[in-house]
Amino acid sequence: MTENPELWLRRYHDADEGAVQLFCLPHAGGSASFYFPMSAGLGRSVEVLSVQYPGRQDRRLEPGIDTIPELADRVAEVLAERTRKPFALFGHSMGATLGFEVATRLEAAGVTPLHLFASGRRAPSCRRDESVHQLDDDGVLAELRKLGGTNAAVLGDDEILRMALPAIRNDYKAAETYVQQPGPKLSTPITVLTGDADPKTTLAEARAWQEHTDGEFELNVFAGGHFFLADHQREVLRLISTRLAGTFSGHH
């Protein structure tokens, strides 16, 4: 039984008939609206569908899902109902790990994405011992501030953050307890985007995504921290548009 896909997907702008679909997966504690600017910026040739996880914004009364495999099962099920050809996946931070797991499930069902954009996240095979989800509220907030830096747009004010804490903690638990299970490599090409000063991902950890695909691979390094996307919107949009138009520079 699949629940209503409309619960899971937000479409902010119209797209042309036959546009490439780009399913966007938010970061830990993030919500679908994080991708509103990307949806606006990519124009009508890309249909941006942003995933809304349970437990936030208009779904805040629903219980969160605190493991990546279960969340990936649910998202893959929804996407399988909504995908047309061609479609791609974009995930930032926890959303990149989730994108990998969703692509794995879709490929196993015989549906191969055009592309996986993995942003701001170490490769699934790279483990770090992290336990932010076990900290008290102030500890979780301190971690978020460290990642967001001065980017108020990402963090919002204290009161809103505290309201969002259950969703944030839920997602940190999912991301931090994730262990990649052995399985076949993807055939989906992977483009990695990373910030050169991201405390959560080293360049080696970003490059390790290459081990997860038999398809083409590309690593793009931007100046900035964990939320480098906010500072480099134009370049990021150009990169996505170019890849989705089917041109791949192929450099590593």
Side-chain angles (χ1 to χ4, degrees):
M1 96 100 216
T2 335
E3 32 195 342
N4 174 6
E6 306 315 315
L7 274 178
W8 287 83
L9 297 172
R10 302 287 170 274
R11 187 168 175 268
Y12 296 115
H13 301 93
D14 289 334
D16 294 334
E17 194 68 35
V20 177
Q21 289 179 312
L22 182 64
F23 293 94
C24 293
L25 303 155
H27 52 282
S31 50
S33 57
F34 177 73
Y35 290 108
F36 184 93
M38 187 178 285
S39 174
L42 281 171
R44 299 184 59 97
S45 61
V46 180
E47 182 187 19
V48 173
L49 294 152
S50 191
V51 174
Q52 186 76 295
Y53 308 140
R56 60 221 66 202
Q57 285 183 334
D58 48 357
R59 302 189 71 184
R60 66 183 172 278
L61 299 178
E62 296 175 56
I65 297 174
D66 64 2
T67 76
I68 296 285
E70 191 189 341
L71 191 53
D73 286 345
R74 307 283 286 282
V75 172
E77 214 172 272
V78 170
L79 266 50
E81 295 215 335
R82 282 297 302 272
T83 52
R84 304 186 307 266
K85 287 286 184 162
F87 72 95
L89 302 166
F90 185 104
H92 182 67
S93 195
M94 177 187 88
T97 307
L98 182 62
F100 167 75
E101 288 292 337
V102 168
T104 299
R105 284 155 175 74
L106 292 173
E107 285 198 14
V111 183
T112 302
L114 186 67
H115 219 90
L116 169 62
F117 296 95
S119 167
R121 186 68 176 164
R122 60 184 180 267
S125 52
C126 298
R127 280 286 287 152
R128 283 194 189 189
D129 190 19
E130 295 173 325
S131 52
V132 173
H133 71 277
Q134 293 171 343
L135 299 175
D136 64 9
D137 289 358
D138 289 333
V140 175
L141 290 174
E143 169 73 8
L144 288 176
R145 291 214 173 78
K146 194 171 81 190
L147 289 184
T150 53
N151 192 341
V154 170
L155 287 181
D157 64 30
D158 210 66
E159 198 180 340
I160 290 176
L161 264 185
R162 285 187 187 273
M163 279 169 51
L165 269 171
I168 295 165
R169 191 184 296 282
N170 173 88
D171 292 355
Y172 265 92
K173 182 179 178 189
E176 292 176 341
T177 57
Y178 170 76
V179 180
Q180 189 215 349
Q181 298 306 308
K185 291 186 183 188
L186 293 177
S187 48
T188 303
I190 298 178
T191 290
V192 172
L193 301 82
T194 192
D196 62 3
D198 186 346
K200 304 290 274 188
T201 307
T202 65
L203 281 181
E205 286 173 325
R207 197 168 283 118
W209 277 96
Q210 186 164 6
E211 306 307 314
H212 293 289
T213 181
D214 286 326
E216 294 191 80
F217 171 81
E218 183 185 45
L219 174 64
N220 299 271
V221 183
F222 296 85
H226 190 59
F227 284 102
F228 66 88
L229 286 181
D231 304 319
H232 297 282
Q233 268 178 350
R234 193 173 295 138
E235 298 100 304
V236 169
L237 292 175
R238 192 180 305 127
L239 175 70
I240 294 169
S241 300
T242 309
R243 291 298 155 271
L244 293 183
T247 42
F248 207 99
S249 67
H251 66 259
H252 290 224

